[in-house]
Amino acid sequence: MYTVIVELDVHPHALGEFVAGIHENAQASLRDESGCIRFDVHQDAATPTRFYFYEIYTSKESFEVAHRQAAHYARWRTVVDRCVVPGSQHNTYAEPLFPQDIPERIETPSHA
């Protein structure tokens, strides 16, 4: 499994467009990508122009190839270009320490 944690800031005048765009991107990722098993979007309580994404994929390749080549991701990138403050996006990449505890995890068949 592969986790992506994103933090970014949005131009205040672009909040509506940004929220609609990330909602569509998150839903499409979960619906259309078999490798995307979680995509949470959070808005900072103290700074409403700051957002955090918490995404889990079945593999690094599911994120770097399948996700980034999806048609909805291309549409999302145009929203980013218009709405996100340049230089504010920070991505953190990780692996779940206890993947067996993730409720949405993909079950793999046992070979007994």
Side-chain angles (χ1 to χ4, degrees):
M1 291 186 158
Y2 191 68
T3 304
V4 182
I5 303 164
V6 179
E7 176 182 344
L8 54 77
D9 294 321
V10 175
H11 294 292
H13 70 273
L15 277 173
E17 179 183 1
F18 177 82
V19 168
I22 190 55
H23 188 223
E24 191 275 329
N25 184 54
Q27 286 186 322
S29 296
L30 289 165
R31 180 187 62 236
D32 300 339
E33 298 175 38
S34 62
C36 181
I37 60 174
R38 187 167 192 94
F39 199 125
D40 296 337
V41 178
H42 301 264
Q43 186 175 26
D44 192 289
T47 308
T49 55
R50 180 162 297 141
F51 292 83
Y52 310 95
F53 311 154
Y54 179 73
E55 308 169 44
I56 301 177
Y57 296 85
T58 55
S59 67
K60 184 176 181 179
E61 183 177 82
S62 293
F63 170 73
E64 290 185 347
V65 178
H67 179 64
R68 288 182 170 171
Q69 290 179 356
H72 64 86
Y73 185 80
R75 291 189 301 274
W76 162 243
R77 292 304 310 164
T78 64
V79 172
V80 169
D81 291 343
R82 288 191 302 269
C83 300
V84 174
V85 174
S88 71
Q89 182 170 331
H90 302 283
N91 294 358
T92 301
Y93 303 101
E95 294 181 8
L97 190 56
F98 306 108
Q100 71 277 7
D101 295 338
I102 297 172
E104 304 87 352
R105 72 185 180 280
I106 303 297
E107 296 292 334
T108 54
S110 61
H111 300 288

